[in-house]
Structures are given as C-alpha cells and as structure tokens.
C-alpha cells in the first residue's frame, strides 16, 4: 500500500492515522457507555495530543470545539449528551464518521458505511459524506456493495473481484 509516495503496508494503524488516514470499519466500533460527545472528544484529543495540549484550558477548549464541529458535520450534534450505545444504528455510523473526522484526515476510508441501514439512513449518510467531501476537499475511499450509493457518491469507481480489478472508470463508464 503506497500513500503519498511511501510504502505504508506494514505501518500500524496509529502511524497511518498520524500520516493523515482515518477509517471506519464495517462493524460499528464506539464506546457505548460514553456519550456521543465524549466519543468524538477522544478522537479530537488524540489528534491534538501534544505535550502542551492540556497545559491550559485553551487546549481543552480547542479539543471540545473540534468535537462539536465534527458532530455538526455528521449531523448528530443534537445527540451529544446521549450514551453512544443508546442511539440508533444509523446515528452510530454517523458517530463513527465524526470520530474519524476529528483526526482531521486527508484520506477517509469507509468500509460498508451503509451496511444494515434503512434506505432513509443510507441516503442521510450519502448526503453527509457529500457535504464533508466538498467542504474539506477530502479524499474518501468507500468499499460498498450498494451500487446506488456508489454511483451517487463516487467520482471514480474500481470494481474488484477476488482482489483483481475488473473495471475502473467514472460512474457513467462503469454503468
């Protein structure tokens, strides 16, 4: 795996995150007993961690502001004080995206971001991802089996089967 001209194949997840790569997995991975805000705060804290980050209230305020910004971007700010485990599956997926965004990535990797969602929830994810991508000029790579979602979000599509590229092109070319 090459990222920005460097072979990152054997890098740890933490090192990849420091290099500007954030990801969400197919199976939701949050801290269910923490609030929605606290989950995103942890991501923002990790991104802002430096020796002086918490030496003053300014460091804490910066982390909290980033967490609130990411909750707004994901559209779940209204759920900030709720336990993460108590919110619906669609909102949990948006929470994972907010946590990933808290790292201020250059590349966002999403594995099946709409898996197990209702049609309404899936299209909310699409809408949010489009807004985030355009706002932050962020590169987003999605592994997704729902072709409607893929065709709506993608600028370029690579169709794989057993690790082999079958087709590559724009959504119109692939269709």
């Amino acid at each position: 795996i090459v990222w920005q001209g460097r072979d990152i194949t054997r890098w740890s997840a933490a090192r990849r995150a420091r290099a500007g790569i954030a990801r969400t997995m197919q199976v939701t991975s949050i801290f269910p007993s923490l609030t929605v805000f606290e989950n995103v705060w942890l991501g923002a804290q990790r991104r802002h961690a430096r020796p002086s980050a918490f030496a003053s209230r300014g460091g804490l305020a910066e982390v909290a502001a980033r967490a609130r910004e990411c909750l707004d971007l994901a559209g779940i700010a209204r759920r900030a004080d709720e336990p993460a485990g108590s919110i619906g599956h669609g909102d949990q997926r948006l929470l994972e995206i907010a946590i990933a965004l808290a790292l201020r990535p250059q590349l966002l990797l999403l594995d099946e971001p709409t898996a197990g969602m209702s049609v309404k929830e899936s299209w909310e994810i699409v809408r949010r991802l489009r807004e985030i991508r355009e706002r932050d000029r962020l590169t987003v790579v999605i592994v997704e089996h729902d072709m409607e979602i893929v065709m709506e979000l993608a600028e370029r599509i690579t169709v794989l089967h057993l690790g082999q590229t079958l087709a590559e092109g724009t959504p119109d070319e692939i269709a």
Side-chain angles (χ1 to χ4, degrees):
I1 303 168
V2 177
W3 169 245
Q4 296 181 333
R6 294 177 290 180
D7 183 346
I8 65 168
T9 306
R10 298 200 190 323
W11 286 14
S12 68
R15 187 171 178 195
R16 288 180 185 153
R18 286 191 302 274
I21 301 171
R23 65 181 182 181
T24 68
M25 304 306 262
Q26 184 174 359
V27 176
T28 305
S29 180
I30 57 173
F31 293 103
S33 62
L34 297 179
T35 67
V36 168
F37 175 81
E38 290 167 336
N39 270 269
V40 181
W41 190 92
L42 286 172
Q45 181 274 331
R46 180 67 186 129
R47 173 63 172 98
H48 288 85
R50 59 189 183 277
S52 63
F54 301 104
S56 70
R57 289 185 186 249
L60 291 173
E62 181 182 339
V63 169
R66 178 62 183 167
R68 282 190 295 277
E69 178 185 9
C70 293
L71 287 171
D72 284 338
L73 285 171
I76 55 170
R78 71 191 184 291
R79 315 292 305 263
D81 296 326
E82 298 177 39
S86 73
I87 64 176
H89 177 66
D91 282 345
Q92 286 184 2
R93 298 304 299 231
L94 288 167
L95 172 57
E96 281 194 310
I97 291 169
I99 293 167
L101 292 173
L103 296 170
R104 294 191 189 276
Q106 299 168 7
L107 172 63
L108 179 60
L109 305 172
L110 304 173
D111 186 10
E112 298 282 351
T114 63
M117 291 187 175
S118 70
V119 171
K120 181 181 177 186
E121 290 172 324
S122 293
W123 288 105
E124 176 64 12
I125 292 279
V126 167
R127 187 175 74 77
R128 292 291 172 177
L129 287 174
R130 191 180 299 120
E131 287 175 4
I132 290 163
R133 185 185 68 208
E134 291 169 8
R135 176 190 174 271
D136 292 347
R137 314 285 304 158
L138 182 63
T139 299
V140 180
V141 175
I142 300 173
V143 173
E144 179 63 65
H145 291 90
D146 184 326
M147 288 297 97
E148 266 191 273
I149 299 294
V150 171
M151 293 298 188
E152 186 65 31
L153 277 174
E155 294 175 6
R156 302 265 325 145
I157 298 171
T158 302
V159 181
L160 300 172
H161 178 68
L162 300 174
Q164 300 298 313
T165 300
L166 297 181
E168 190 169 5
T170 67
D172 287 341
E173 292 167 341
I174 297 301

